[in-house]
Amino acid sequence: MNIADIDTSAVKGFLDREEALCLHRVAQMAGKKGNCLEIGSYCGKSAVYIGLACRENGAKLYSIDHHRGSAEQQLGEAYYDPELYDAAQCCINTLPHFLTTLESFSLVDSVIPIVGDSVSVAKSWNEALALVFIDGGHSFADTYNDYNAWACCVMPGGYLAIHDIFATATEGGQSPRWILQAALASGLFLLVEQVKTLAILQRTPLGIVPEAMLMRFQDFA
Ligand code: MG
């Protein structure tokens, strides 16, 4: 299978093709180390690219979403999509679309949907992850809470990917960029690649104390 031949144009989503191919490449490296996790399944576009890489390595992708849409996707908001509105339940419901995507790309055995609030899921999580992709709600509270809950689960040498990084507020919301800065300031992550609005960070390998951390400890000496 050549990932460049995979056609996801029928899957709703906001992931650029170059970003998708970058995610796939990082997930291929990550899948050799352990399982991957994404926050913000939506209709499954990123799950296809990460999930196919996981499938190659016999790894799993956990994909978390409450599937009720983020604030900007609700009725009357800028990203509202009437095709995602579930009239019977009177709310946005992306879960059927997500499950259809998994079936279409033969990913039901490689992608594990987790329906719920990401912070609640994190409270009982105890597996170190080779890749965490943050692409959930874009309010500052959502973004910060996702980072705070999941960055600590990235194994040494593993990857933290953050979507929707915009240099200025005119281009887009700044919350993802703020958590990127927080991750870099922690000294635990290094920026290894940025493709359009997708940032890829790598957790410092075990045994290596980052310079930023050493400097911080020297402050207390
Ligand atoms: Mg996004």
Side-chain angles (χ1 to χ4, degrees):
M1 177 207 69
N2 186 345
I3 194 66
D5 297 333
I6 295 290
D7 182 4
T8 56
S9 56
V11 182
K12 290 178 188 291
F14 307 97
L15 192 67
D16 173 271
R17 180 167 171 76
E18 280 178 50
E19 295 172 340
L21 294 176
C22 174
L23 263 187
H24 178 264
R25 186 161 31 80
V26 172
Q28 277 182 314
M29 296 187 284
K32 293 181 173 64
K33 303 170 191 273
N35 292 325
C36 301
L37 181 141
E38 68 171 1
I39 300 143
S41 318
Y42 196 53
C43 297
K45 186 163 277 204
S46 54
V48 170
Y49 290 91
I50 303 173
L52 288 172
C54 286
R55 196 176 70 183
E56 278 178 41
N57 288 303
K60 303 289 183 198
L61 167 65
Y62 305 104
S63 184
I64 305 177
D65 202 312
H66 47 61
H67 284 285
R68 294 304 191 218
S70 55
E72 62 271 24
Q73 291 160 357
Q74 304 305 314
L75 187 63
E77 299 298 327
Y79 288 91
Y80 172 70
D81 182 341
E83 290 177 9
L84 301 178
Y85 191 77
D86 185 330
Q89 297 192 52
C90 300
C91 62
I92 293 289
N93 182 10
T94 52
L95 182 59
H97 302 265
F98 179 67
L99 296 177
T100 299
T101 301
L102 297 190
E103 287 283 355
S104 304
F105 291 87
S106 304
L107 285 169
V108 287
D109 293 327
S110 302
V111 180
I112 300 173
I114 300 178
V115 181
D117 166 65
S118 68
V119 173
S120 305
V121 175
K123 284 178 182 162
S124 51
W125 194 267
N126 61 6
E127 179 184 346
L129 296 160
L131 166 67
V132 168
F133 176 41
I134 297 180
D135 191 24
H138 287 57
S139 69
F140 178 71
D142 286 339
T143 315
Y144 176 75
N145 287 334
D146 285 338
Y147 169 73
N148 208 30
W150 290 102
C152 56
C153 297
V154 179
M155 63 175 64
Y159 298 91
L160 175 66
I162 304 171
H163 196 221
D164 302 311
I165 308 286
F166 295 102
T168 64
T170 316
E171 296 165 80
Q174 294 293 288
S175 301
R177 191 170 69 82
W178 291 335
I179 62 163
L180 166 65
Q181 289 174 338
L184 293 173
S186 75
L188 293 172
F189 293 93
L190 299 171
L191 184 65
V192 291
E193 191 169 0
Q194 182 156 2
V195 174
K196 295 187 174 174
T197 74
L198 174 71
I200 307 292
L201 300 96
Q202 188 169 23
R203 173 77 160 80
T204 320
L206 198 62
I208 294 177
V209 180
E211 208 165 309
M213 290 291 267
L214 277 177
M215 289 170 69
R216 198 162 304 167
F217 283 117
Q218 281 164 6
D219 288 345
F220 292 102

